[in-house]
Amino acid sequence: MTFDTFANPWPPRENIEITSVRAITTAPEGTALVVVRIDTNVPGLYGLGCATFTQRWKAVQTLVDEHLARLLVGRYPGDITDLVRLCAFTGYWRGGPVSNNAISGVDQALWDIAGKRAGLPVHELLGGKVRAAADTYIHAAGRTADEAIEQAHGFIEEGWRHIRLQLSTPGGGGYGAPALPTVYPDAPYRNGWSARDYLRRVPELFEAARAALPRDTELLHDVHSRLTPKEAVILARSLEPYGLFFLEDVLPPEHWDRLPEVRAASPVPLAVGELTTSLTDAVRLVRDGGVDFIRSHVSDIGGLTPARKIADLAELSGVRTAWHGPGDTSPIGAAANVALDVTSVAFGIQEGHIYNEATHDVFPGTLRIESGYLTPNDAPGWGIDIDEDAAARYPAELSGHDAWAAGVRRPDGALEAP
Ligand code: GCO
Ligand code: MG
């Protein structure tokens, strides 16, 4: 089979073609980020896309550099949908976070190029704004409820209206907060995590928070997939008095087919989706009634092109969006989230992350959250660049984040789903 197999059956336009495609890795916050850079034969015309799968970044890099680049060099960068399908279908097996992140990097880089050619920000290519900015939520956590509430107060003073509250638990399964010291001295695994203990602690956190925080502050919580369907209902019911904005990831993906029954029994809106690894997974969550908020990680479902379809499906289904946006999203990925947020009627909330100054040095133009709002850049494309010399000062390393992901065990020693 020769390269002609991939020939474009329609002619290229305007003598523009892709000249190189490569993955750039960097870790200005210690978390590996992957960004795809696509260059063209037009001087100065290139695009950037987020391909960050931080636990498996080297696999994504190899896929971009060794497999996808050769499919794309010589092609016209304006055929975004066709090129993304070509990248997906040449792999034959679809989906999965490695492949989707690599394809997302390509997809978002091509949108960046399209914006730069048009002289327009990507959100205008998507149909333009339906809102001025995206309201965000921010993470507050503590070893005690008081500590978490104190941090929440600080964010409220800085202008945030939505706060995700997390509490330390023994064994670290409280997610987002430091683990409490060993409490099961006779257990095989002394520093274990117990779901029953967690179910008792979380309502206490929200009871204290409701008493201490302003009434109009919206509260959120991330379970991080650690409950059974019945435990999820128990938690949702016990949180009813505190009027949560949403309760996130009550079940692991293996049990998502039980979500409609949990949702039907839950007085609290459910947010799910950061672990979707295909467009079809995300479609099922929205279509089958499993979610009130769909919160896929855009690069994990293949980029902006598929995510737009989910935003449209959500709009037609009465579901809201809450795109995943933690620190293992590059600033380019964060800009893609905001482009979706401000152009979609289905927008619910955006997860916010405060990037450190090193990240701003590596990615000039990185958006800053102001008074809780993220406002998109009006520069052409994403309006965000990469300084490769700065990126090289923060080399990505293997096995930082994956150790965290598999760090929680029950007191009997059984490994807990992250
Ligand atoms: C969230 C998340 C993340 C994930 C992380 C895994 O922001 O809601 O659950 O922080 O844990 O993206 O790498
Ligand atoms: Mg989460």
Side-chain angles (χ1 to χ4, degrees), residues 55 175 222 224 248 274 295 324 326 328 351 401 404:
Q55 289 84 353
Y175 175 68
D222 187 356
H224 229 260
E248 177 183 337
E274 70 183 50
R295 47 183 280 96
H324 192 225
D328 48 320
E351 179 174 16
H401 219 65
W404 159 83

Side-chain angles (χ1 to χ4, degrees), residues 40-56:
T40 70
N41 58 344
V42 177
L45 180 63
Y46 61 91
L48 300 171
C50 185
T52 301
F53 176 9
T54 201
Q55 289 84 353
R56 296 289 184 264

Side-chain angles (χ1 to χ4, degrees), residues 114-391:
K116 287 175 176 173
R117 288 180 61 203
L120 294 171
V122 173
H123 61 262
E124 287 202 23
L125 303 186
L126 301 182
K129 289 184 184 180
V130 296
R131 59 180 49 77
D135 211 347
T136 68
Y137 70 86
I138 197 76
H139 309 165
R143 269 164 302 187
T144 61
D146 284 350
E147 230 179 75
I149 291 165
E150 194 187 319
Q151 201 183 11
H153 271 303
F155 286 129
I156 293 165
E157 272 162 33
E158 288 174 40
W160 268 280
R161 291 154 293 281
H162 298 76
I163 313 278
R164 191 191 77 180
L165 281 180
Q166 304 294 134
L167 183 66
S168 288
T169 58
Y175 175 68
L180 293 181
T182 299
V183 288
Y184 302 107
D186 302 326
Y189 182 56
R190 294 157 57 92
N191 197 19
W193 178 83
S194 146
R196 302 294 298 172
D197 176 62
Y198 170 79
L199 291 175
R200 282 189 289 272
R201 285 173 191 260
V202 176
E204 287 168 12
L205 165 68
F206 282 91
E207 186 182 7
R210 266 294 167 238
L213 297 175
R215 266 187 73 196
D216 57 355
T217 300
E218 299 290 357
L219 301 178
L220 300 75
H221 180 69
D222 187 356
V223 177
H224 229 260
S225 307
R226 298 197 209 280
L227 299 178
T228 65
K230 189 58 86 183
E231 288 167 345
V233 173
I234 292 169
L235 180 65
R237 292 218 173 128
S238 65
L239 292 176
E240 183 173 14
Y242 315 116
L244 264 61
F245 186 81
F246 71 50
L247 180 61
E248 177 183 337
D249 279 349
V250 286
L251 302 184
E254 293 79 11
H255 302 150
W256 278 350
D257 56 351
R258 306 283 302 277
L259 277 170
E261 77 188 63
V262 174
R263 180 166 168 251
S266 167
V268 181
L270 297 185
V272 186
E274 70 183 50
L275 286 171
T276 46
T277 53
S278 70
L279 177 60
T280 40
D281 276 357
V283 168
R284 283 189 193 111
L285 285 179
V286 175
R287 188 194 58 198
D288 299 347
V291 294
D292 297 285
F293 291 83
I294 179 76
R295 47 183 280 96
S296 295
H297 189 112
V298 167
S299 64
D300 275 293
I301 59 168
L304 182 74
T305 302
R308 287 179 77 199
K309 297 178 187 178
I310 295 299
D312 288 345
L313 180 65
E315 178 187 342
L316 298 173
S317 315
V319 165
R320 297 283 176 88
T321 65
W323 305 109
H324 192 225
D328 48 320
T329 310
S330 74
I332 309 291
N337 287 342
V338 178
L340 288 162
D341 296 337
V342 298
T343 55
S344 169
V345 174
F347 172 73
I349 192 73
Q350 175 58 55
E351 179 174 16
H353 175 75
I354 304 169
Y355 289 105
N356 68 3
E357 288 309 312
T359 306
H360 286 268
D361 292 345
V362 174
F363 295 98
T366 293
L367 300 177
R368 289 182 194 271
I369 304 174
E370 280 165 26
S371 298
Y373 284 108
L374 266 172
T375 307
N377 203 324
D378 278 328
W382 301 124
I384 299 179
D385 209 347
I386 189 164
D387 175 340
E388 292 196 48
D389 292 333

